[in-house]
Amino acid sequence: MAALRRWRAARPFWGGLLLTLGGTEILLTEKASLKVVMHIGMQGLAGYLLPVLMLVCGLLVLFNPAQRLFYSICGVLLSLGTWLTSNLGGFLIGLLLGVVGSCLTFGWLPDQEPRRARSWRRRNRVPVHHP
């Protein structure tokens, strides 16, 4: 369990997970019954291509965090593109998951210490008095 916690801390885990879930959700709405499907663009190719690329970007964020900025920008553009190609972005759920995951990934800082250590240091800080 500690190994998983260290692995998660070394990458933008939640951003990659949300981006992957967004792509998966949009792919699942493509397989919905015809009564539910609203729009599949360009004979269905873009409707499947964009969510698959979202899913790939999310996995690449998890397994190659060094390139997270590029993947997060691609992820947000792909997520926004699904508005036109894939059932309004998976009925907005997949689109929002993709955009939020991409934003979390973009804002993740690898050299930032864990929150627990920062809060402990803040509580135990010795006040500095200046003359």
Side-chain angles (χ1 to χ4, degrees):
M1 193 66 171
L4 176 65
R5 196 171 297 129
R6 279 192 309 275
W7 182 81
R8 255 188 13 209
R11 61 201 70 246
F13 177 76
W14 294 109
L17 182 66
L18 288 178
L19 185 57
T20 303
L21 289 176
T24 304
E25 196 274 335
I26 294 171
L27 277 174
L28 291 176
T29 61
E30 294 290 330
K31 295 293 185 184
S33 67
L34 289 177
K35 296 175 187 173
V36 178
V37 173
M38 296 170 68
H39 186 296
I40 298 177
M42 294 172 27
Q43 288 76 31
L45 178 64
Y48 291 106
L49 183 64
L50 293 181
V52 166
L53 290 174
M54 280 175 63
L55 190 110
V56 168
C57 279
L59 291 174
L60 285 170
V61 163
L62 291 174
F63 294 107
N64 187 14
Q67 301 297 322
R68 72 188 182 285
L69 296 177
F70 175 73
Y71 299 141
S72 66
I73 291 171
C74 288
V76 78
L77 293 175
L78 291 167
S79 298
L80 293 174
T82 61
W83 174 262
L84 300 173
T85 61
S86 309
N87 288 334
L88 299 175
F91 305 114
L92 289 177
I93 297 168
L95 182 139
L96 290 175
L97 284 172
V99 168
V100 169
S102 294
C103 290
L104 285 173
T105 300
F106 190 82
W108 181 75
L109 297 173
D111 55 352
Q112 192 174 25
E113 60 187 85
R115 287 195 180 274
R116 253 186 260 143
R118 283 188 291 168
S119 65
W120 179 83
R121 191 174 310 149
R122 203 176 303 128
R123 278 194 308 263
N124 297 328
R125 187 181 312 165
V126 176
V128 177
H129 297 286
H130 295 289

